[in-house]
Amino acid sequence: MERIFGRPIVTQEEMRARIREMGKQITIDYAGKDFVLVGVLKGAYAFYADLARAIRIPMRVDFLMVTSDGAQVKASDKVKTVKMMTELTEDIAGKDVLLVEDIVDSGLTAQHLIKTLAKKKPRSIKICTLLSKTDRRTSTVTIDYVGFKIPNKYVVGYGLDYQQKYRNLPYLAVLDMEGDQE
Ligand code: IMP
Ligand code: MG
């Protein structure tokens, strides 16, 4: 059965306004730098597309695809294994890299990516995430740009999935865990 989602936790208008602000800040912070915006797929695809167009400086675009054993709602309650499925195509050595994530929960994915990409010797590497669940952070990784802090609820839409579905919902909604079998 298809789910019907109720009131958005973040509306399209709120999203648009916040992303415009983030784009302005990143434009200021990265002006004059050799800037590479790296999207973490699949979840960040919608945010990335909007954020990139809110940034008004020259940049290179690149993407990574990662999987974590995070198909379950309570993914972070277990030991998480993060796997990079694809490599970057740009050489990031000496460049200023900004990683774009959909959501930082435990922070383990972000931590793993920073550690892995640091080996390629970028000049700097920072993280920008649309959403952050600070309650569940187990890693000490620093998140440099946060769109919205959200409570510890499982959310879908605007790129985020539940079992690979609902990514195309144009707003962010809390997944209703009642009657979970489809
Ligand atoms: P972390 O490694 O625990 O920070 O988890 C980050 C990843 O878990 C994200 O990139 C998402 O794929 C997934 N995730 C965490 N919370 C949610 C959620 O509420 N909805 C959808 N995916 C989530
Ligand atoms: Mg996911």
Side-chain angles (χ1 to χ4, degrees):
M1 211 173 77
E2 284 310 307
R3 290 165 193 273
I4 308 290
F5 295 100
R7 217 159 49 83
I9 179 168
V10 179
T11 65
Q12 286 176 268
E13 289 69 30
E14 288 167 333
M15 200 89 86
R16 206 169 294 137
R18 182 69 187 113
I19 294 171
R20 207 177 299 133
E21 286 175 2
M22 295 174 88
K24 274 193 188 147
Q25 190 59 53
I26 293 167
T27 299
I28 294 167
D29 296 349
Y30 285 89
K33 299 199 167 150
D34 199 349
F35 181 41
V36 191
L37 192 67
V38 174
V40 182
L41 299 174
K42 300 178 193 170
Y45 82 90
F47 175 46
Y48 185 102
D50 288 344
L51 181 68
R53 286 174 294 177
I55 299 172
R56 301 298 164 85
I57 46 171
M59 65 158 108
R60 295 164 208 267
V61 305
D62 210 346
F63 300 93
L64 281 174
M65 188 176 282
V66 298
T67 58
S68 55
D69 59 354
Q72 305 86 342
V73 170
K74 288 190 179 148
S76 303
D77 298 343
K78 306 187 302 170
V79 176
K80 206 165 202 168
T81 52
V82 183
K83 207 164 133 195
M84 246 162 81
M85 304 298 286
T86 60
E87 276 291 332
L88 292 176
T89 61
E90 296 296 318
D91 177 10
I92 60 168
K95 302 200 170 78
D96 292 290
V97 176
L98 184 60
L99 276 178
V100 180
E101 279 257 39
D102 54 353
I103 184 164
V104 178
D105 185 11
S106 68
L108 294 176
T109 305
Q111 189 181 357
H112 177 82
L113 288 175
I114 292 275
K115 215 175 112 191
T116 309
L117 295 182
K119 292 180 188 150
K120 297 179 186 287
K121 305 265 182 266
R123 184 168 167 272
S124 72
I125 180 157
K126 292 190 173 182
I127 300 183
C128 174
T129 186
L130 177 64
L131 307 166
S132 174
K133 286 186 196 171
T134 46
D135 292 358
R136 310 232 300 171
R137 203 60 45 80
T138 56
S139 138
T140 54
V141 67
T142 303
I143 311 297
D144 304 279
Y145 303 90
V146 175
F148 299 92
K149 287 185 183 158
I150 61 162
N152 185 15
K153 295 219 163 85
Y154 199 87
V155 292
V156 294
Y158 199 71
L160 288 93
D161 73 306
Y162 173 62
Q163 297 185 348
Q164 296 303 328
K165 288 193 289 189
Y166 315 117
R167 292 192 197 273
N168 61 323
L169 199 67
Y171 56 85
L172 201 74
V174 173
L175 184 71
D176 176 12
M177 297 308 292
E178 310 263 326
D180 209 21
Q181 22 330 50
E182 305 213 345

